[in-house]
Amino acid sequence: MSDSFDGTEIAVIGMAGRYPRSRNLDEFWEHLRNGDELISFFTDEELLARGVDPAAVASPQFVKAAVVLEDMDQFDPAFFGFTRREAELLDPQHRLFLETAWEALENAGYSSDSYDGLIGVYAGAGINSYFLVNLFNNPNFGPLEQLSILLASDKDYMMTRASYKLNLRGPSVMVQSACSTSLIAIHLACQGLLLEECDIALAGASNVQTILQDGYYTVEGGVYSPDGHCRAFDADGQGTLFGSGVGIVVLKRLADALADGDHIEAVIKGSAINNDGSMKVSYTAPSVEGQAKVVVEALANAGVNAETISYIEAHGTATALGDPIEIQALTKAFRATTDKKGFCAVGSVKSNLGHLDSAAGVTGIIKTVLSLKHKSIPPSLHFKRPNPAIDFESTPFFVNDKLSEWPGPGPRRAGVSSFGIGGTNAHIILEEAPAPVPAAASRPWQLLVLSAKTEAALETATHNLAEHFKRHPDLNLADAAYTLLTGRKAFKHRKAFVCRDLTDAIDALKSNDRGPGRMSQQPKSRLVAFMFPGQGSQRLNMAQQIYAHERTFREQVDLCSRLLEPDLGVDLRQVLYAGANTPEAAEKLKQTSLAQPALFVVEYALAQLWQEWGIKPWAMVGHSIGEYVAACLSGVFTLEDALKLVALRGRLMQEAPAGAMLGVPLAAEIVRPLMSAKLSLAAINAPQRCVVSGPEDAIATLQNQLEKQELLCQRLHTSHAFHSEMMEPVLEPLRRFLRHIELREPAVPYISNVTGDWITAEQATSPDYWADHLRSTVRFADGVTQLLKEPDCALLEVGPGHTLTNLARQNTDGSTQQPIIASGDNLEDDLLSLINAAAKLWLAGAELNWSGFHAHERRQRLPLPTYPFERKRYWIDRVVTPAAQRSATHVPDHPPELSNLAPQVPDSAAFEIVSTQLHLMDLQLKALSNDR
C-alpha cells in the first residue's frame, strides 16, 4: 500500500452487480478469470421458438446473438413495499437498481437504519425500452395511470426512489452522459465525499434493455459486431454489441474507512472528467486530445506516475477507429512522464459481455477492483493479432489475452476509462487495498443474528451463511458476527446462534439448532424491565468469565471494590475472583456482610453492561437487597452512598441474632394461619410460593408440620432471619445513616418491595421507608403482576442465576406473551448465559446497541451473503397491434433517418447506441402513426 496519503483517497468498501449468467460478483469473477464469453448465441429454431419474425431470422443482416440478463422480469416487490401493480409498471432498471443498491450496502456491512452518517447515491440509467415497447402503446392503461407510469418509468425518479426506499439522506443525483455515465457518477460521488456532502456514497448505473434480447441488425461500416463477438484491439475487431447489466460500488473516505474497520476492496487514488469540445471530426467521434487530457489529469489528481500503472481497463469497443484512438490517447498521456514500453497491460470487459451503455464504466471498475483483490488480470477475449492501426510495440501497452498473475510487490495500480457520446470522458486511478488489519481478540462466544421479512427468506439466508462459512474457513467469526449485528436491518423473522468457533457456527446453521441461544420467532417492539435478585443468589465464581472478557463490567466491579474496601476491610475481588475456588472464599461469601455487597456490585455492574448494550430499563424491581440496586440506578442514591449503605446493612444484619428462612409451596393466606407468633412472612414470591422467617426452632417446627402433609419445603442458605422481627435491632442504626445522606426522587420507575406497587417519591426519599424495607414482607409477586400489566414488556433478571426468572414465570397464568429472561441461567458459563440473554432479547424485539456490544473490540466488517430476495415475475407484456407488427417485421437496409447525425463511417460505439435507440423509437412511432 502507498505510504503517502493526502486525504483525498476514496475507499471502495462494497460492491454488487447483476450480469449475464452472474447472480453475484463471485460468479461474475469466476467467468472473468475463466475467460468466459457471456454472450448468448441462438439457432434459427431457438429464435423462431422465442417468437422472432421468420423474416428477421432469414435476413443476412440479422446477428443471432444477444447479451441476455436473466430474470430481468423478476422482482421482490413486497420487500420494498410495492403493490403488484406498482411492481409491474416499474422500469426493470429501477427494480434491479433498488435490489443491487441494497445488496451493495449490505456487502459493505452497513444498514442505513443504524448508520448515523449521510449516505448519498450517484448513478444513471439507460433508455427505458420497457416503457417504449411494453407500456407506451398499451391500450390497457387509462389516463388515471399516466402519473404512475411516469413516476415508474422516467430516469429522474430512479435515484430519489432508491433514497426513499432505502432511507438514504445524502445527495440523490441522477447522472447521464451516455456510455461514460457510471464512471462520471463514481467521480461525482468521490467529489461529494471529499466535500463532506455525504459520508458513504453508492455510485453506478442500471442499464436493462428489453430490446435486443434475441439478436440485432448490423450495418456495414457500423459499430455493431457482425458476428456477435467484441474483439477489442484485434485486427478482426468490427464492433461490439449491446446488453444489460447493473453495477454499484460503495465508497467512503479512506481515512474514515480505516478508522471504522471497513473491508476495503480497493482505493480510488484520483479521477478526472472532461469533454472533447468541438475540436474533432463530428459530435459522435472520439478525440485523442480529450481522452489523453483526462488521463493526464487523473494521474495528476492521484499524485502517481504513469510508470506505476500496470493495467488499464479500456473503453475497448473493438471498432476499427475507436480502439486505435484510445491507445494513441493513452500513449500520449503516459509519454508525459515515461518512455518505457510494454509494461502496462490493457483489456476490456466488453469482450466478455458487450457494451452495457450507462453501466459500462462501473462494470470496468468492478472488474478491476476484483482483479486487484485477487492479484490477477483476467484475459481480454478474442485477441489474436493487433489492429493494424495500433503499433503496440512502440507504446507502453500490451493486450492481456490470458489469465495473468498481477506482479507486485506493489502497490498495484490501474486505470479505468469510459468515454461517452458527445465527448464526455472519464478516467479513474485505482490502487490495491491496504494490508488487512490483523484479527483482534474477542470474547470466546460469538452471537450470530439473521433476520428476514419472510420465514422462507430466513431459511435461505441461514443456508447461504453456512455455505459462505464453509467456503471461507479462514474467516474471522467475531468479525462476521460484528458485521451481521451492525450491518443488517432487523426484520420480524429472526434467528440467533451463539457459537464458539466457525465449525460450531456451521453446525448450528446447518442443523438449525434451536437450543439455548438458537431460536426463531416473530418479535414485537419490547420494553425491558430489570429484575435484581436478593441474598441467596450469590455463588462462588459468579460472573467470573464476564469479569474476564467484558471491560465495562470489569471496570464497574473494580470501581465498586475500591470504594467498598475501607468499609469491608477486604478487596471484594479477592473474595469473588482471586481466591474464589478456596474454602476460605466460600465461607466468606456465606457471610451476610460480604454476600450483600457482592450481590449489589455484580448486579450493578451487569446493569451498566446491559445499558452499554442498549438495554435501558423502562422499569425495575428488586428482591430485598436487589431493590437497592434499582434505587441506585434510578438515582435515589449515589453509587458511593449506596455502597456505604449496603456495607452497613450487611454488617448490621450479620451482627443480628441468628435465624432461619424456609421456602414454602403454599399461598400466603394458607401459610399465615400455620405460623407461630415468632415467625414472619418474609416474602410472597408467587401465588404458591412464600418464604417464612424467624428463629431456628420455630422454623424447624413449621417445616416438620408441613412435611407431614407431604409438602416439599426448602431451607434457604441464610444464617439470619431476614424480613422478620429479628431484624428490629438493625433498623435504628440504618435509619440514622440514611438521615445523613441525600435521597433523591427516582428518575426511572421501579416497584417497591414493601407495597408491591410503584415506588413513590415520598417513599424513596424517606429514611423510614428504607428501615421498614428491611423488616417488611417482600411482595415480589405483586411487583411482577404490576410489570406484566405492560403487554409489550420483557422481564430481564440482572444478576447471577435464574431465581427471579423462575419465580416471575410462576406469576403468569401461562397465557402471557411477555418474555422472561435470565442473564445467568447457565451456572457453568456465565458469559454464555449473558450472550444467550442478549440473543433472546433481540429475538423478542428489544433494540440492542450492537456498537456498544462491541465497544471495546477493534472489529472489521466483512463481505457476507446479502439478503435473499424472493423474486417472481412482474411484467406487462408488449401488446402488438397489426400496424406495429407490419412495421416491426420490416427488415431495414440501415437505421432510418440518421444520415445527418454522424459521418458516413461511424467511429465510436456511442454512435451505435444512439442509432439503436433512434431506430427503436422510429419503429415505434411509425407503428403508432399507422395504428392511429
Side-chain angles (χ1 to χ4, degrees):
M1 184 65 193
S2 176
D3 293 331
S4 58
F5 295 141
D6 60 11
T8 62
E9 293 85 0
I10 301 296
V12 180
I13 63 170
M15 303 189 299
R18 291 277 296 280
Y19 296 106
R21 304 178 205 166
S22 306
R23 294 168 297 177
N24 52 58
L25 295 186
D26 286 340
E27 293 183 3
F28 186 51
W29 171 250
E30 284 302 306
H31 286 308
L32 293 179
R33 72 182 306 278
N34 292 337
D36 296 334
E37 188 175 38
L38 303 178
I39 296 167
S40 298
F41 293 86
F42 307 108
T43 65
D44 291 357
E45 292 75 16
E46 288 173 329
L47 290 174
L48 293 171
R50 291 164 69 93
V52 178
D53 186 74
V57 176
S59 171
Q61 294 173 281
F62 190 77
V63 181
K64 301 161 188 175
V67 184
V68 178
L69 185 64
E70 296 85 355
D71 300 332
M72 68 167 63
D73 59 347
Q74 306 282 304
F75 187 46
D76 185 354
F79 181 85
F80 294 102
F82 290 106
T83 65
R84 167 175 282 278
R85 190 58 163 176
E86 288 172 330
E88 290 173 341
L89 294 178
L90 192 61
D91 180 2
Q93 298 182 117
H94 295 212
R95 303 182 199 174
L96 267 66
F97 187 85
L98 274 175
E99 291 184 346
T100 306
W102 186 278
E103 291 170 339
L105 202 55
E106 283 199 338
N107 179 259
Y110 282 96
S111 166
S112 57
D113 284 0
S114 59
Y115 182 61
D116 291 334
L118 295 177
I119 302 176
V121 195
Y122 302 77
I127 188 171
N128 185 351
S129 57
Y130 182 68
F131 167 73
L132 291 173
V133 175
N134 297 54
L135 305 182
F136 181 58
N137 195 36
N138 195 311
N140 297 319
F141 301 121
L144 295 179
E145 289 189 284
Q146 290 178 356
L147 178 59
S148 297
I149 293 173
L150 174 65
L151 294 175
S153 302
D154 197 279
K155 292 178 180 180
D156 288 0
Y157 306 115
M158 188 176 82
M159 291 298 90
T160 49
R161 179 178 286 106
S163 294
Y164 173 67
K165 290 294 184 180
L166 272 63
N167 188 29
L168 310 179
R169 295 170 288 108
S172 190
V173 181
M174 197 70 187
V175 181
Q176 294 299 149
S177 62
C179 316
S180 58
T181 290
S182 53
L183 214 62
I184 301 282
I186 294 172
H187 168 81
L188 294 177
C190 293
Q191 298 301 309
L193 287 165
L194 294 175
L195 292 172
E196 298 188 356
E197 294 174 341
C198 56
D199 303 292
I200 291 177
L202 279 68
S206 179
N207 183 61
V208 182
Q209 299 304 315
T210 60
I211 58 171
L212 307 178
Q213 292 295 295
D214 305 308
Y216 58 91
Y217 290 103
T218 186
V219 180
E220 185 176 356
V223 293
Y224 265 125
S225 169
D227 61 0
H229 300 292
C230 180
R231 306 175 189 275
F233 309 114
D234 190 78
D236 294 330
Q238 299 181 66
T240 189
L241 68 164
F242 300 90
S244 301
V246 184
I248 297 176
V249 294
V250 184
L251 308 176
K252 195 174 185 182
R253 292 179 291 271
L254 177 60
D256 292 344
L258 291 169
D260 294 343
D262 294 326
H263 178 82
I264 300 174
E265 300 278 9
V267 174
I268 295 176
K269 291 286 290 182
S271 62
I273 60 174
N274 71 7
N275 191 274
D276 295 336
S278 61
M279 299 302 291
K280 56 182 181 177
V281 66
S282 72
Y283 170 67
T284 61
S287 164
V288 171
E289 192 68 24
Q291 291 182 18
K293 283 184 176 179
V294 81
V295 175
V296 168
E297 186 178 353
L299 288 166
N301 290 339
V304 300
N305 189 290
E307 283 189 16
T308 68
I309 306 297
S310 47
Y311 176 68
I312 294 288
E313 174 60 30
H315 191 65
T317 54
T319 56
L321 189 59
D323 282 3
I325 285 180
E326 182 170 8
I327 296 300
Q328 185 181 350
L330 283 167
T331 301
K332 182 174 183 179
F334 273 49
R335 285 290 177 251
T337 57
T338 181
D339 294 326
K340 289 180 65 176
K341 300 176 183 179
F343 66 88
C344 184
V346 294
S348 173
V349 74
K350 294 180 181 66
S351 67
N352 297 93
L353 45 60
H355 196 322
L356 301 189
D357 190 14
S358 58
V362 69
T363 303
I365 287 284
I366 287 172
K367 171 192 171 181
T368 308
V369 169
L370 291 170
S371 300
L372 286 165
K373 177 180 178 179
H374 294 281
K375 297 179 173 56
S376 59
I377 304 174
S380 194
L381 306 185
H382 311 304
F383 183 78
K384 304 299 181 184
R385 54 193 178 92
N387 183 314
I390 303 175
D391 180 14
F392 275 111
E393 291 186 359
S394 66
T395 75
F397 308 105
F398 65 93
V399 177
N400 187 79
D401 59 353
K402 61 181 180 297
L403 180 65
S404 306
E405 180 182 351
W406 196 331
R412 296 169 179 84
R413 290 186 182 134
V416 181
S417 293
S418 193
F419 311 125
I421 188 171
T424 298
N425 309 306
H427 192 77
I428 288 179
I429 305 297
L430 288 169
E431 182 174 284
E432 65 182 324
V437 176
S442 183
R443 52 175 68 97
W445 293 99
Q446 301 302 329
L447 172 57
L448 304 178
V449 300
L450 291 167
S451 72
K453 286 200 169 184
T454 69
E455 187 65 32
L458 181 60
E459 293 305 317
T460 302
T462 306
H463 170 79
N464 291 348
L465 186 62
E467 292 300 310
H468 183 83
F469 285 170
K470 287 172 65 178
R471 290 193 303 270
H472 299 85
D474 296 330
L475 175 146
N476 184 278
L477 185 62
D479 288 341
Y482 171 74
T483 303
L484 292 172
L485 290 169
T486 62
R488 297 292 187 269
K489 180 180 174 68
F491 299 109
K492 68 177 184 178
H493 293 272
R494 302 182 179 189
K495 289 184 183 178
F497 302 88
V498 181
C499 307
R500 187 180 290 278
D501 53 33
L502 206 59
T503 300
D504 185 29
I506 294 170
D507 290 343
L509 292 164
K510 283 289 188 181
S511 64
N512 252 333
D513 185 0
R514 286 173 170 80
R518 299 173 183 178
M519 299 150 290
S520 176
Q521 63 185 60
Q522 297 184 42
K524 58 197 298 188
S525 181
R526 294 289 182 186
L527 302 169
V528 179
F530 285 179
M531 302 189 298
F532 299 104
Q535 191 168 343
S537 300
Q538 77 276 6
R539 57 184 172 82
L540 289 175
N541 302 317
M542 61 178 173
Q544 185 177 40
Q545 290 176 308
I546 300 173
Y547 183 84
H549 294 285
E550 300 298 334
R551 181 192 297 181
T552 294
F553 179 83
R554 182 169 58 252
E555 289 175 345
Q556 293 299 320
V557 170
D558 290 348
L559 171 62
C560 291
S561 297
R562 288 194 297 270
L563 293 173
L564 277 168
E565 188 169 3
D567 293 304
L568 298 183
V570 65
D571 186 334
L572 194 59
R573 292 166 293 183
Q574 296 296 319
V575 178
L576 284 173
Y577 304 124
N581 291 318
T582 65
E584 293 81 4
E587 286 301 316
K588 287 181 180 179
L589 200 56
K590 290 179 181 178
Q591 298 173 16
T592 299
S593 59
L594 287 180
Q596 292 193 4
L599 278 171
F600 180 95
V601 169
V602 168
E603 291 171 15
Y604 177 85
L606 277 175
Q608 296 298 330
L609 181 59
W610 275 117
Q611 291 186 88
E612 181 179 52
W613 291 0
I615 302 299
K616 299 185 184 300
W618 75 274
M620 296 175 285
V621 64
H623 196 290
S624 190
I625 188 66
E627 187 171 333
Y628 283 70
V629 184
C632 182
L633 291 171
S634 188
V636 175
F637 311 122
T638 66
L639 176 61
E640 291 80 1
D641 287 343
L643 290 170
K644 287 183 176 295
L645 178 60
V646 167
L648 174 63
R649 183 181 191 265
R651 185 171 68 252
L652 292 172
M653 293 172 75
Q654 179 78 31
E655 294 170 353
M661 302 181 75
L662 181 69
V664 178
L666 291 173
E669 58 270 21
I670 297 175
V671 172
R672 280 194 180 98
L674 303 177
M675 294 164 44
S676 69
K678 295 181 179 180
L679 295 177
S680 301
L681 191 63
I684 304 173
N685 291 327
Q688 299 295 322
R689 291 285 173 183
C690 295
V691 175
V692 178
S693 182
E696 170 64 36
D697 58 345
I699 288 290
T701 300
L702 178 63
Q703 183 174 2
N704 291 333
Q705 179 183 350
L706 294 175
E707 288 179 349
K708 287 178 181 179
Q709 301 177 33
E710 299 185 350
L711 290 172
L712 182 61
C713 300
Q714 183 178 7
R715 284 291 189 104
L716 304 189
H717 297 293
T718 61
S719 56
H720 294 74
F722 307 137
H723 298 280
S724 75
E725 65 178 23
M726 296 185 71
M727 291 292 107
E728 288 291 342
V730 175
L731 304 188
E732 187 54 36
L734 197 65
R735 190 179 287 113
R736 284 198 301 270
F737 177 84
L738 284 158
R739 288 171 181 154
H740 289 88
I741 64 173
E742 182 181 3
L743 301 176
R744 291 173 294 275
E745 294 184 7
V748 179
Y750 66 89
I751 300 292
S752 162
N753 281 180
V754 176
T755 65
D757 206 342
W758 298 103
I759 193 78
T760 67
E762 182 180 2
Q763 290 168 337
T765 56
S766 168
D768 290 335
Y769 170 83
W770 291 104
D772 292 342
H773 177 275
L774 183 61
R775 170 67 179 84
S776 301
T777 301
V778 175
R779 299 185 178 276
F780 179 74
D782 291 339
V784 170
T785 299
Q786 288 292 338
L787 294 174
L788 292 177
K789 288 180 180 178
E790 170 53 61
D792 294 335
C793 83
L795 305 186
L796 175 67
E797 184 170 1
V798 181
H802 45 80
T803 300
L804 295 190
T805 301
N806 292 339
L807 293 175
R809 287 172 181 161
Q810 294 176 42
N811 281 278
T812 67
D813 59 6
S815 63
T816 181
Q817 298 298 310
Q818 293 100 323
I820 302 173
I821 299 166
S823 298
D825 60 358
N826 187 325
L827 301 184
E828 299 300 320
D829 195 325
D830 46 63
L831 182 60
L832 173 60
S833 293
L834 189 68
I835 298 176
N836 260 336
K840 292 174 184 177
L841 283 170
W842 181 78
L843 289 169
E847 294 184 8
L848 283 90
N849 173 16
W850 296 124
S851 295
F853 189 73
H854 291 281
H856 306 295
E857 296 180 356
R858 171 66 178 176
R859 299 261 59 89
Q860 302 290 312
R861 288 179 174 84
L862 297 179
L864 297 173
T866 56
Y867 192 88
F869 294 113
E870 297 176 283
R871 300 181 176 100
K872 294 181 181 178
R873 189 175 193 267
Y874 293 88
W875 200 257
I876 296 174
D877 291 313
R878 178 185 182 185
V879 176
V880 181
T881 65
Q885 178 67 45
R886 289 193 299 274
S887 178
T889 57
H890 171 66
V891 180
D893 294 327
H894 56 80
E897 301 175 16
L898 294 173
S899 57
N900 295 325
L901 287 179
Q904 292 263 326
V905 179
D907 49 29
S908 79
F911 169 81
E912 193 65 19
I913 292 176
V914 168
S915 300
T916 304
Q917 294 170 348
L918 291 179
H919 179 36
L920 168 68
M921 288 187 285
D922 180 79
L923 290 174
Q924 192 70 23
L925 291 172
K926 281 184 177 179
L928 284 170
S929 176
N930 293 336
D931 204 31
R932 293 175 181 174

